[in-house]
Amino acid sequence: MYKPISITAVASISSLGKNHEEVWKNYKNNNHCILEKIFQGNSALVASISEDNKKEIEKLKLSDSKYKSLDDTVLYAIYASREAVKQAGWKSSENFGINIGSSRGATSLFENYHKSFLKNNKAKTLSSPTTTLGNIASWVAHDLQTQGPEISHSITCSTALHALLNGIAWINSGMCNKFLVGGSEAPLTPFTIAQMQALKIYANNNEDYPCKALDLSKNHNTMVLGEGAAMVCLEEGEKDNALATIKGIGYATEILEHNISISSDAQCFQRSMKMALGDFPAEDIDVIVMHAPGTIKGDLSEYKAIEAIFKNDLPAVTSNKWKIGHTFGASGTLSLELAILMLQQQQFIEIPYLKNQKQPKKIKNVLVNAVGFGGNAVSILLSKL
């Protein structure tokens, strides 16, 4: 970190809602957003955007003839980006940069186009341009009428926080002084859910809390998929209107034993958190928003990494995946949104099924973690002005 970076806006659409009021209201209750839905005759637990908020996406889809062929991943990104830029007061003439990622991209469209190809042995005309990963940022740039750099990428479940890292790098380089960053994901499709079930990490019990993220005593995996998008506006310097300032960034990748492995004490997280902390006193971290996907190994290894860094003085820890599921590429900025809301509201969002959960005395400094398949971890240190 060379230049101070301010977060001047954050906007999202997910199972929590579509604005700060809805999102914070839903965070403050102990109810989860997970429901059972049918996918090609098979039921699965998912956290989907509400039907009322889906109508907003449908309005967006019908607002421009070119948007009718777009995947929900792109539409969610456009919706959240419009709101974030509006909050920040940015104008298209400012030519800010855009970096929006997704773990899986246009999942629903790809599955439908492939199904059609298998049936007819022909690809539909728009199958390529509407399923390429790069069309997320490019359609957002088109919608906002910007002329700055536009980047899309996929780095699995740490995608959104890698977008934030990239935005910071552009700002530090002096090539831009503002960047819109985030992630978008619409993975609630039959094939995507089947893939997670094949890995044997998916929840299969509709309990009071189907996803038991951060329950370190669970004896079965409980990951649940969610959908949504979250965008963050970054600006150079310490701004008076900043929601939070970024005090540190960290990233690391560890050597894999197999495609989805992570070491028992998450060496990648240890390195990313150390890097994010730098010279910042570890004892001054009040809260960590963990990645904690609800899997046995994923939750425990991250917790052990936190113990390795913070020793006997662990901060309060939380996660939002018990409530909204795992939104893959969007999860990092949705976790960032939770961190910012806790900083703004000075209220810790605890996990209701955990006993004797540590409460922070204050919320001034929050560390946000994300990691994806491939052992690529990112940690972001946020502080309240």
Side-chain angles (χ1 to χ4, degrees):
M1 290 288 292
Y2 298 102
K3 299 176 182 178
I5 304 291
S6 293
I7 294 176
T8 54
V10 58
S12 69
I13 183 165
S14 71
S15 55
L16 288 166
K18 66 180 189 300
N19 57 53
H20 289 165
E21 291 73 24
E22 281 184 53
V23 170
W24 185 241
K25 179 181 177 182
N26 282 317
Y27 265 131
K28 288 195 296 181
N29 66 49
N30 287 335
N31 303 321
H32 62 76
C33 304
I34 298 168
L35 300 170
E36 196 168 349
K37 290 198 172 185
I38 303 299
F39 297 86
Q40 291 187 350
N42 299 312
S43 66
L45 296 162
V46 295
S48 59
I49 291 171
S50 72
E51 290 304 314
D52 282 346
N53 289 339
K54 284 268 188 173
K55 291 176 183 176
E56 294 296 315
I57 300 300
E58 191 62 24
K59 285 181 188 175
L60 171 60
K61 191 173 187 176
L62 297 175
S63 68
D64 188 318
S65 60
K66 295 185 291 294
Y67 292 179
K68 291 179 182 179
S69 59
L70 298 180
D71 187 77
D72 279 349
T73 311
V74 180
L75 295 169
Y76 295 166
I78 291 173
Y79 188 91
S81 296
R82 282 183 180 181
E83 183 57 32
V85 168
K86 180 182 174 183
Q87 285 178 31
W90 290 2
K91 296 179 174 62
S92 59
S93 58
E94 294 175 276
N95 295 333
F96 51 86
I98 296 173
N99 191 165
I100 300 171
S102 179
S103 177
R104 312 194 71 83
T107 314
S108 181
L109 276 188
F110 192 92
E111 290 182 24
N112 289 335
Y113 283 143
H114 188 249
K115 188 187 297 182
S116 174
F117 173 75
L118 292 177
K119 182 180 178 181
N120 304 308
N121 204 31
K122 287 184 178 180
K124 292 190 175 181
T125 305
L126 295 178
S127 59
S128 175
T130 57
T131 59
T132 54
L133 185 61
N135 87 134
I136 300 178
S138 59
W139 275 111
V140 169
H142 163 80
D143 186 74
L144 298 176
Q145 292 294 291
T146 65
Q147 296 179 27
E150 54 191 62
I151 307 160
S152 294
H153 69 255
S154 175
I155 311 179
T156 63
C157 304
S158 57
T159 293
L161 292 193
H162 272 285
L164 184 139
L165 293 179
N166 202 31
I168 291 171
W170 275 77
I171 292 172
N172 276 320
S173 75
M175 296 172 71
C176 274
N177 60 11
K178 295 179 180 179
F179 237 86
L180 174 69
V181 301
S184 184
E185 208 75 53
L188 306 187
T189 63
F191 185 54
T192 307
I193 290 168
Q195 289 176 75
M196 298 304 107
Q197 291 171 335
L199 291 171
K200 302 188 185 306
I201 58 176
Y202 212 82
N204 55 19
N205 293 317
N206 197 355
E207 304 167 350
D208 289 344
Y209 294 100
C211 177
K212 288 291 185 71
L214 260 176
D215 179 355
L216 302 182
S217 65
K218 58 180 175 288
N219 55 20
H220 59 277
N221 290 317
T222 65
M223 196 186 87
V224 171
L225 285 186
E227 63 177 349
M231 304 299 158
V232 174
C233 289
L234 305 178
E235 297 191 34
E236 180 184 354
E238 294 185 352
K239 304 297 183 183
D240 292 338
N241 63 331
L243 303 176
T245 55
I246 298 173
K247 293 291 188 181
I249 58 173
Y251 46 88
T253 303
E254 64 179 58
I255 297 172
L256 302 178
E257 293 182 11
H258 57 80
N259 292 13
I260 62 170
S261 68
I262 190 170
S263 53
S264 61
D265 57 353
Q267 290 291 322
C268 56
F269 266 137
Q270 290 190 49
R271 294 201 296 271
S272 70
M273 286 189 289
K274 279 181 183 177
M275 183 178 176
L277 286 170
D279 296 329
F280 195 89
E283 61 271 19
D284 286 350
I285 299 296
D286 304 302
V287 178
I288 300 177
V289 180
M290 292 176 60
H291 183 74
T295 62
I296 295 172
K297 290 183 179 178
D299 292 7
L300 185 58
S301 63
E302 184 179 0
Y303 192 80
K304 285 183 176 179
I306 291 169
E307 288 182 319
I309 297 297
F310 293 90
K311 310 300 182 186
N312 297 322
D313 190 18
L314 268 63
V317 295
T318 191
S319 171
N320 56 13
K321 292 182 181 65
W322 67 273
K323 184 179 275 280
I324 65 171
H326 193 350
T327 54
F328 285 158
S331 64
T333 38
L334 283 166
S335 292
L336 205 74
E337 178 185 53
L338 171 58
I340 290 168
L341 287 170
M342 288 191 293
L343 285 167
Q344 292 290 305
Q345 302 293 331
Q346 285 298 292
Q347 182 176 341
F348 179 62
I349 299 301
E350 60 184 4
I351 299 175
Y353 49 79
L354 297 184
K355 296 179 180 178
N356 303 316
Q357 195 171 0
K358 182 175 180 177
Q359 300 287 323
K361 295 177 182 177
K362 65 182 186 316
I363 306 178
K364 186 176 180 181
N365 304 301
V366 181
L367 199 60
V368 180
N369 281 341
V371 69
F373 290 163
N376 47 76
V378 180
S379 299
I380 306 296
L381 173 55
L382 300 179
S383 293
K384 186 176 184 293
L385 289 174

